[in-house]
Amino acid sequence: MAGVTLRTSPLDAVHRALGAKLVEFGGWDMPIQYPTGTLAEHRACRTAAAAFDVSHLGTVRVSGPDALDRLQAALTNDLGKVGPGRAQYTHLLDEDDASVLDDIIVWWVGEDRFDVMPNASNTSRVVGAIGGADVTESRAIIAVQGPEARSRLATVA
């Protein structure tokens, strides 16, 4: 992608220091492999826990007194089933033909505040569909997966 500036995670310097192999994905310079190899990462995730930088996923902040109603009209799942402080996997539908624009996760952050996480390349499309503000640059996101994820996280959170 000559001439195009790739976006980077806030953890980019750490990835480089750890020897990550980086590739372009959805406009981002993404780590896909470390010197220990993908098999070691796979085994760690299946038997213990592994951390993944998913900061490339977008974050669209939807807030205000009409935020819940706007999201309820655009999504396939009922946010009322999760409530504040919880998250829900759902689909954003096209207003015109009800086709799926993206599969997303919605965090109900506060009474009138929601953080919607679309796939990396769909952030502007999601903003166009539901409004809100792209706040992707303001945070880093690390996903921790594996059977020991909760116990490992408990030591730091």
PDB file of all heavy atoms in Angstrom, residues 110-131:
ATOM      1  N   GLY A 110     -23.142   2.967  30.129  1.00  0.00           N
ATOM      2  CA  GLY A 110     -23.856   3.726  31.149  1.00  0.00           C
ATOM      3  C   GLY A 110     -25.278   3.953  30.695  1.00  0.00           C
ATOM      4  O   GLY A 110     -25.673   3.507  29.613  1.00  0.00           O
ATOM      5  N   GLU A 111     -26.051   4.650  31.507  1.00  0.00           N
ATOM      6  CA  GLU A 111     -27.476   4.817  31.218  1.00  0.00           C
ATOM      7  C   GLU A 111     -27.753   5.205  29.766  1.00  0.00           C
ATOM      8  O   GLU A 111     -28.582   4.602  29.104  1.00  0.00           O
ATOM      9  CB  GLU A 111     -28.080   5.853  32.164  1.00  0.00           C
ATOM     10  CG  GLU A 111     -29.569   6.002  31.994  1.00  0.00           C
ATOM     11  CD  GLU A 111     -30.169   6.973  32.997  1.00  0.00           C
ATOM     12  OE1 GLU A 111     -29.580   7.170  34.076  1.00  0.00           O
ATOM     13  OE2 GLU A 111     -31.230   7.529  32.686  1.00  0.00           O
ATOM     14  N   ASP A 112     -27.055   6.208  29.270  1.00  0.00           N
ATOM     15  CA  ASP A 112     -27.275   6.692  27.900  1.00  0.00           C
ATOM     16  C   ASP A 112     -26.017   6.616  27.054  1.00  0.00           C
ATOM     17  O   ASP A 112     -25.807   7.432  26.151  1.00  0.00           O
ATOM     18  CB  ASP A 112     -27.768   8.152  27.924  1.00  0.00           C
ATOM     19  CG  ASP A 112     -29.149   8.300  28.520  1.00  0.00           C
ATOM     20  OD1 ASP A 112     -29.942   7.350  28.406  1.00  0.00           O
ATOM     21  OD2 ASP A 112     -29.444   9.367  29.101  1.00  0.00           O
ATOM     22  N   ARG A 113     -25.141   5.655  27.327  1.00  0.00           N
ATOM     23  CA  ARG A 113     -23.875   5.547  26.593  1.00  0.00           C
ATOM     24  C   ARG A 113     -23.593   4.109  26.207  1.00  0.00           C
ATOM     25  O   ARG A 113     -23.621   3.210  27.056  1.00  0.00           O
ATOM     26  CB  ARG A 113     -22.731   6.082  27.433  1.00  0.00           C
ATOM     27  CG  ARG A 113     -21.403   6.018  26.720  1.00  0.00           C
ATOM     28  CD  ARG A 113     -20.292   6.614  27.547  1.00  0.00           C
ATOM     29  NE  ARG A 113     -19.057   5.952  27.159  1.00  0.00           N
ATOM     30  CZ  ARG A 113     -17.982   5.868  27.910  1.00  0.00           C
ATOM     31  NH1 ARG A 113     -17.964   6.413  29.096  1.00  0.00           N
ATOM     32  NH2 ARG A 113     -16.921   5.255  27.483  1.00  0.00           N
ATOM     33  N   PHE A 114     -23.306   3.914  24.909  1.00  0.00           N
ATOM     34  CA  PHE A 114     -23.018   2.597  24.361  1.00  0.00           C
ATOM     35  C   PHE A 114     -21.751   2.674  23.523  1.00  0.00           C
ATOM     36  O   PHE A 114     -21.546   3.653  22.806  1.00  0.00           O
ATOM     37  CB  PHE A 114     -24.173   2.134  23.462  1.00  0.00           C
ATOM     38  CG  PHE A 114     -25.483   2.028  24.188  1.00  0.00           C
ATOM     39  CD1 PHE A 114     -26.277   3.146  24.384  1.00  0.00           C
ATOM     40  CD2 PHE A 114     -25.905   0.810  24.683  1.00  0.00           C
ATOM     41  CE1 PHE A 114     -27.480   3.053  25.061  1.00  0.00           C
ATOM     42  CE2 PHE A 114     -27.104   0.705  25.360  1.00  0.00           C
ATOM     43  CZ  PHE A 114     -27.894   1.832  25.548  1.00  0.00           C
ATOM     44  N   ASP A 115     -20.920   1.656  23.610  1.00  0.00           N
ATOM     45  CA  ASP A 115     -19.761   1.533  22.733  1.00  0.00           C
ATOM     46  C   ASP A 115     -20.021   0.355  21.798  1.00  0.00           C
ATOM     47  O   ASP A 115     -20.212  -0.778  22.253  1.00  0.00           O
ATOM     48  CB  ASP A 115     -18.471   1.305  23.528  1.00  0.00           C
ATOM     49  CG  ASP A 115     -17.941   2.590  24.146  1.00  0.00           C
ATOM     50  OD1 ASP A 115     -18.466   3.678  23.833  1.00  0.00           O
ATOM     51  OD2 ASP A 115     -16.997   2.512  24.947  1.00  0.00           O
ATOM     52  N   VAL A 116     -20.058   0.644  20.518  1.00  0.00           N
ATOM     53  CA  VAL A 116     -20.338  -0.340  19.486  1.00  0.00           C
ATOM     54  C   VAL A 116     -19.023  -0.709  18.821  1.00  0.00           C
ATOM     55  O   VAL A 116     -18.272   0.173  18.402  1.00  0.00           O
ATOM     56  CB  VAL A 116     -21.333   0.236  18.448  1.00  0.00           C
ATOM     57  CG1 VAL A 116     -21.590  -0.757  17.331  1.00  0.00           C
ATOM     58  CG2 VAL A 116     -22.637   0.642  19.134  1.00  0.00           C
ATOM     59  N   MET A 117     -18.719  -2.015  18.739  1.00  0.00           N
ATOM     60  CA  MET A 117     -17.451  -2.460  18.163  1.00  0.00           C
ATOM     61  C   MET A 117     -17.687  -3.190  16.842  1.00  0.00           C
ATOM     62  O   MET A 117     -18.039  -4.358  16.829  1.00  0.00           O
ATOM     63  CB  MET A 117     -16.707  -3.378  19.126  1.00  0.00           C
ATOM     64  CG  MET A 117     -15.366  -3.835  18.568  1.00  0.00           C
ATOM     65  SD  MET A 117     -14.476  -4.900  19.714  1.00  0.00           S
ATOM     66  CE  MET A 117     -13.832  -3.667  20.823  1.00  0.00           C
ATOM     67  N   PRO A 118     -17.480  -2.483  15.721  1.00  0.00           N
ATOM     68  CA  PRO A 118     -17.585  -3.127  14.410  1.00  0.00           C
ATOM     69  C   PRO A 118     -16.253  -3.744  13.991  1.00  0.00           C
ATOM     70  O   PRO A 118     -15.229  -3.535  14.642  1.00  0.00           O
ATOM     71  CB  PRO A 118     -17.938  -1.970  13.481  1.00  0.00           C
ATOM     72  CG  PRO A 118     -17.300  -0.777  14.129  1.00  0.00           C
ATOM     73  CD  PRO A 118     -17.332  -1.046  15.620  1.00  0.00           C
ATOM     74  N   ASN A 119     -16.288  -4.483  12.896  1.00  0.00           N
ATOM     75  CA  ASN A 119     -15.053  -4.979  12.303  1.00  0.00           C
ATOM     76  C   ASN A 119     -14.233  -3.796  11.809  1.00  0.00           C
ATOM     77  O   ASN A 119     -14.775  -2.731  11.499  1.00  0.00           O
ATOM     78  CB  ASN A 119     -15.365  -5.959  11.166  1.00  0.00           C
ATOM     79  CG  ASN A 119     -15.867  -7.270  11.717  1.00  0.00           C
ATOM     80  OD1 ASN A 119     -15.145  -7.968  12.407  1.00  0.00           O
ATOM     81  ND2 ASN A 119     -17.120  -7.592  11.434  1.00  0.00           N
ATOM     82  N   ALA A 120     -12.939  -3.988  11.711  1.00  0.00           N
ATOM     83  CA  ALA A 120     -11.999  -2.897  11.420  1.00  0.00           C
ATOM     84  C   ALA A 120     -12.384  -2.047  10.220  1.00  0.00           C
ATOM     85  O   ALA A 120     -12.369  -0.822  10.287  1.00  0.00           O
ATOM     86  CB  ALA A 120     -10.597  -3.477  11.223  1.00  0.00           C
ATOM     87  N   SER A 121     -12.726  -2.675   9.125  1.00  0.00           N
ATOM     88  CA  SER A 121     -12.971  -1.916   7.898  1.00  0.00           C
ATOM     89  C   SER A 121     -14.371  -1.315   7.822  1.00  0.00           C
ATOM     90  O   SER A 121     -14.668  -0.590   6.877  1.00  0.00           O
ATOM     91  CB  SER A 121     -12.736  -2.823   6.679  1.00  0.00           C
ATOM     92  OG  SER A 121     -13.623  -3.922   6.728  1.00  0.00           O
ATOM     93  N   ASN A 122     -15.222  -1.580   8.795  1.00  0.00           N
ATOM     94  CA  ASN A 122     -16.603  -1.102   8.740  1.00  0.00           C
ATOM     95  C   ASN A 122     -16.934   0.047   9.677  1.00  0.00           C
ATOM     96  O   ASN A 122     -18.093   0.434   9.790  1.00  0.00           O
ATOM     97  CB  ASN A 122     -17.561  -2.262   9.036  1.00  0.00           C
ATOM     98  CG  ASN A 122     -17.714  -3.197   7.871  1.00  0.00           C
ATOM     99  OD1 ASN A 122     -17.500  -2.812   6.728  1.00  0.00           O
ATOM    100  ND2 ASN A 122     -18.080  -4.418   8.148  1.00  0.00           N
ATOM    101  N   THR A 123     -15.960   0.594  10.364  1.00  0.00           N
ATOM    102  CA  THR A 123     -16.235   1.613  11.362  1.00  0.00           C
ATOM    103  C   THR A 123     -16.984   2.811  10.777  1.00  0.00           C
ATOM    104  O   THR A 123     -18.013   3.221  11.325  1.00  0.00           O
ATOM    105  CB  THR A 123     -14.943   2.068  12.066  1.00  0.00           C
ATOM    106  OG1 THR A 123     -14.324   0.917  12.656  1.00  0.00           O
ATOM    107  CG2 THR A 123     -15.229   3.091  13.152  1.00  0.00           C
ATOM    108  N   SER A 124     -16.516   3.367   9.679  1.00  0.00           N
ATOM    109  CA  SER A 124     -17.199   4.541   9.117  1.00  0.00           C
ATOM    110  C   SER A 124     -18.589   4.184   8.612  1.00  0.00           C
ATOM    111  O   SER A 124     -19.521   4.986   8.709  1.00  0.00           O
ATOM    112  CB  SER A 124     -16.365   5.183   8.009  1.00  0.00           C
ATOM    113  OG  SER A 124     -16.150   4.272   6.957  1.00  0.00           O
ATOM    114  N   ARG A 125     -18.754   2.978   8.106  1.00  0.00           N
ATOM    115  CA  ARG A 125     -20.071   2.517   7.651  1.00  0.00           C
ATOM    116  C   ARG A 125     -21.049   2.429   8.828  1.00  0.00           C
ATOM    117  O   ARG A 125     -22.222   2.788   8.711  1.00  0.00           O
ATOM    118  CB  ARG A 125     -19.895   1.159   6.990  1.00  0.00           C
ATOM    119  CG  ARG A 125     -21.087   0.642   6.269  1.00  0.00           C
ATOM    120  CD  ARG A 125     -20.702  -0.657   5.577  1.00  0.00           C
ATOM    121  NE  ARG A 125     -21.808  -1.192   4.840  1.00  0.00           N
ATOM    122  CZ  ARG A 125     -21.838  -2.382   4.307  1.00  0.00           C
ATOM    123  NH1 ARG A 125     -20.789  -3.174   4.417  1.00  0.00           N
ATOM    124  NH2 ARG A 125     -22.887  -2.816   3.658  1.00  0.00           N
ATOM    125  N   VAL A 126     -20.573   1.955   9.967  1.00  0.00           N
ATOM    126  CA  VAL A 126     -21.409   1.852  11.159  1.00  0.00           C
ATOM    127  C   VAL A 126     -21.770   3.246  11.671  1.00  0.00           C
ATOM    128  O   VAL A 126     -22.923   3.505  12.031  1.00  0.00           O
ATOM    129  CB  VAL A 126     -20.726   0.987  12.242  1.00  0.00           C
ATOM    130  CG1 VAL A 126     -21.452   1.077  13.569  1.00  0.00           C
ATOM    131  CG2 VAL A 126     -20.642  -0.460  11.766  1.00  0.00           C
ATOM    132  N   VAL A 127     -20.817   4.166  11.688  1.00  0.00           N
ATOM    133  CA  VAL A 127     -21.118   5.545  12.090  1.00  0.00           C
ATOM    134  C   VAL A 127     -22.200   6.114  11.181  1.00  0.00           C
ATOM    135  O   VAL A 127     -23.145   6.766  11.651  1.00  0.00           O
ATOM    136  CB  VAL A 127     -19.852   6.435  12.068  1.00  0.00           C
ATOM    137  CG1 VAL A 127     -20.206   7.902  12.236  1.00  0.00           C
ATOM    138  CG2 VAL A 127     -18.872   6.007  13.153  1.00  0.00           C
ATOM    139  N   GLY A 128     -22.089   5.865   9.881  1.00  0.00           N
ATOM    140  CA  GLY A 128     -23.092   6.351   8.947  1.00  0.00           C
ATOM    141  C   GLY A 128     -24.464   5.768   9.198  1.00  0.00           C
ATOM    142  O   GLY A 128     -25.480   6.436   8.985  1.00  0.00           O
ATOM    143  N   ALA A 129     -24.521   4.540   9.679  1.00  0.00           N
ATOM    144  CA  ALA A 129     -25.803   3.871   9.889  1.00  0.00           C
ATOM    145  C   ALA A 129     -26.476   4.237  11.212  1.00  0.00           C
ATOM    146  O   ALA A 129     -27.692   4.359  11.271  1.00  0.00           O
ATOM    147  CB  ALA A 129     -25.616   2.356   9.817  1.00  0.00           C
ATOM    148  N   ILE A 130     -25.682   4.401  12.281  1.00  0.00           N
ATOM    149  CA  ILE A 130     -26.288   4.614  13.597  1.00  0.00           C
ATOM    150  C   ILE A 130     -25.901   5.943  14.239  1.00  0.00           C
ATOM    151  O   ILE A 130     -26.371   6.265  15.322  1.00  0.00           O
ATOM    152  CB  ILE A 130     -25.943   3.464  14.574  1.00  0.00           C
ATOM    153  CG1 ILE A 130     -24.442   3.368  14.808  1.00  0.00           C
ATOM    154  CG2 ILE A 130     -26.540   2.166  14.101  1.00  0.00           C
ATOM    155  CD1 ILE A 130     -24.029   2.384  15.877  1.00  0.00           C
ATOM    156  N   GLY A 131     -25.026   6.707  13.579  1.00  0.00           N
ATOM    157  CA  GLY A 131     -24.546   7.939  14.193  1.00  0.00           C
ATOM    158  C   GLY A 131     -23.473   7.628  15.213  1.00  0.00           C
ATOM    159  O   GLY A 131     -22.889   6.551  15.216  1.00  0.00           O
TER     160      GLY A 131
END
